[in-house]
Amino acid sequence: MNKNKILSIISVLLCVALLFCACTAGSDDTTEAGVVTRAVEEESEAEAEAVSLEAEEISFYEVTDGDYKIKISPIYKSDGKTVVAAYIISVTDKDNKEVKADKFPMLMSIVAATNTKTAIALTKDKNKNYIKINSYADENGNLLVVQDSADANKNGKKDEYLKLTKVTNDEGSTHYLLTDTVIEIVTEGKNVYAVISGKKIKVDTVDSDNKKVKVTVEKQTASDKETASEKKKKATTTTATTKAADTNDKTKAYNQIILLKNGKASSTASGVTTSSNLVSITGGGDYLITSKTSDWHGIIKLEIGADDEAELRFEDVNISYNKGSIIQIIDSSDTTTDRSFLEAEASSDVLADDTLNDTMEDLSDRESAPNVSLSFPSGTTSTFTSSANVYSGVIYNESKLTVKGNGKVNFKATTNANNVICSSKSITFKNVSAYLQSAAFGVSEGIGGSRGIFSYGKVNLDSGSLTIETNGDSIRCTRFTQEDGTLTATSSACDGIDTESSISIYGGKATVTALQKSSFKVRRVNIQERWDNGERVSKKDCIREGRDDGFYIFGGTVRGESKKVSDYKMSPSQKTIVCRTVKKTKGSATEVKKAVKWKVGSLASSNNSCIKFLYSSSAVKRNEYNVTVDGSSKAYNWKWSNNHGACYVEYTTSK
C-alpha cells in the first residue's frame, strides 16, 4: 500500500473520530434506567448560561476593584436583566482578610451599579467614589425601598422612592427587582415609615449599622451557590461530555415517561404505573414526559403528599381526551374527599355545579398542600385539549401549582360545561407563554359557565404571557395579583377578572375585555352575604383584619374595556370596574365596615369605598372621568372609547 493511500485512510479515520466526539459533546442529556438528565436552564449554549447576569441566574456576584474583592447582591429593573443598584454584602483585601466599614464606608449599603451582558460594575462619581443610594429595609432586614436617583421610571423625579419586590428563582435563591411603584417616606419623631398600600411600615436605613439586612440577604440565598465569576471560570474549563453528566445546579435528573400510540405509555421509574389511557404517578420527584405519537389520548394523574414536591416537565407533548381532566393533581394526604366526579365520562349527565364547588371549598380550607410545577422548557410547544363533559377542567389541581418555563403551552376545553383550570389552591404563572381557551368563546348570548381559571386560591402572574379566551369568567378566584408579564383576557359573556377579595397589579401589561359584563370585579360583599345566608363559604374569607382588600393599580399598563353595544342611550347597564365594601354583620344595628379600598397610581379612596362606575354610554365625550373621593372631585387618568356603547379605562405609569 503506497504512502498516499495510507494517509488517506488515516485522514478518514480521524474525521470519523472527530465526528463521533462532536456528537458526544453535543449531547444535552444522559439516560440510565429510565432516568434522564436535562439542563435546568433553557439557553442553548452552556457558556452563555454560565456568564448570564439575569436575575434568574444569580443572587451573589463578585466585583474586583484594585486590591478589594466586593461581594454584592445585584438589584435589577423589573425586566430581571438590567442592573440599577447593588447591595454590598462584604469586602476582602488582597490577603483575603475581611475589610470593616471604617476602611470601606459603603459596606452594607446600596450603591449605584450598571451591567453589560457579561459583567457588573459599581458606578463611581467624578471623584471616583461609589455613589450611595438612600434605601430602607423593614425591621426584619428585608429591603423595601430605594431612592430613584437614576430615574429608572423615567418621570424626571430623582428624589422619590421606589418599591423593591423580592423574587425567589427556580434554584431557591432570592433577588430583588425594582418596580415603578412610588412609595412615600414619612418621619414621625425618631421613627421613619414607608407608606405601602395605605399602611405605615416602620423602616430603618440600609447601611453598615443595619446588620439585619446582611443576615437576611445571605440567609435567603443558599451559601453554596456559585457566584457568576465562578460560573464563568467553570464554563471555560468544563468539557461538553462532563457537562452532560454533571449534577450541579445546571442539570436535573428526571424520571422518564414516554407516551406511545393507542393510549399506551412506558416508564421504568419507581412510582410510575401505566395502563390504557392512564399514567399514574405516586409520590414526589421530577418527571420528564415526552411523546412518540403526534396525539396521545389519556390522563396524567399525580398523587402526592401535602409535604412533598414534584415537577412534571413536558417536551412537545400533545394530549387530548374525552373522559375526565387530562392533568389531575391529587393531595394524597386527604383520603376522605370523594373525587369520583374526576372520572366522569362524556356520556354522563352534567354534574351539578355544587358537587365540584363543595369539594374544592373543603380542600381549600386545608392549611398544607403539595408544591407542584408544570414545566414547559424553551423551544417546546405542548397542547392539552379536553372534550370531557365535566366541570373539573383540563387541569384539576389540589396543590400550590406553578406553571413555568420559557416554552409555550395551550390548554383548551371544548365542551360548554368544562372549565380550563380548576384549583383548590394558588396558581402562579412564571415565564411561560400560556394560552387558555374555553368552549363557546365568542358567543355573547346568555351567561357562560366555562371559565378560564376557577380557583379557590390566589392567581398570580409573575412573568411571561397569559392569554385567556372564554365564554364564562376569564379568571374567577379569591385574589388576583400581577407582578409583571403580559395578561390578555377576554370573556364574551361574563366578567374578565372576578375575585372575592382583591385585584392588585404592580407591573407588566394587563388588557382585560368583557363583551357583556365587567372587566374587573371585586365582590367582597358577596362573601359576607352568602355566609350570613347560611351558604357554604369559607369563613376565613369573610372578615380579614389588616388585609388589603379592594382594587389596586400600583404600576404597569392596565386597560379594562366593556364592549356591550346594545344600549345607545344613557342607561348604565354595564360597568368596567366593580369594587364593593363589606359589613361585619348583615342587618345588625352595630354594622362595622372593614377596610376595602381602591387605588390607581397616587389616587386612592378612603377605606370602605364602594365603586361601581364607568358605564357604557355613547353620550360620554370627555377625555377624563371625574369621581368624588372623600368629598372632593378628582380627575382620573382614564380615557373613553369613541365607539358607541363601549367604554374603557386605561392607566399606565408612563403617563
Side-chain angles (χ1 to χ4, degrees), residues 218-238:
E218 291 192 313
K219 183 178 179 181
Q220 289 168 346
T221 302
S223 59
D224 59 350
K225 292 295 179 184
E226 295 176 304
T227 66
S229 300
E230 291 168 343
K231 289 181 179 180
K232 183 175 181 180
K233 292 177 182 178
K234 179 173 286 188
T236 60
T237 58
T238 304

Side-chain angles (χ1 to χ4, degrees), residues 16 71 121 132 177 182 293 318 397 408 462 529 554 639:
V16 171
K71 184 180 180 182
K132 183 177 180 179
L177 302 180
V182 178
T293 179
N318 295 318
N397 171 63
K408 298 179 180 180
D462 182 275
E529 288 180 347
F554 296 106
K639 289 187 178 180

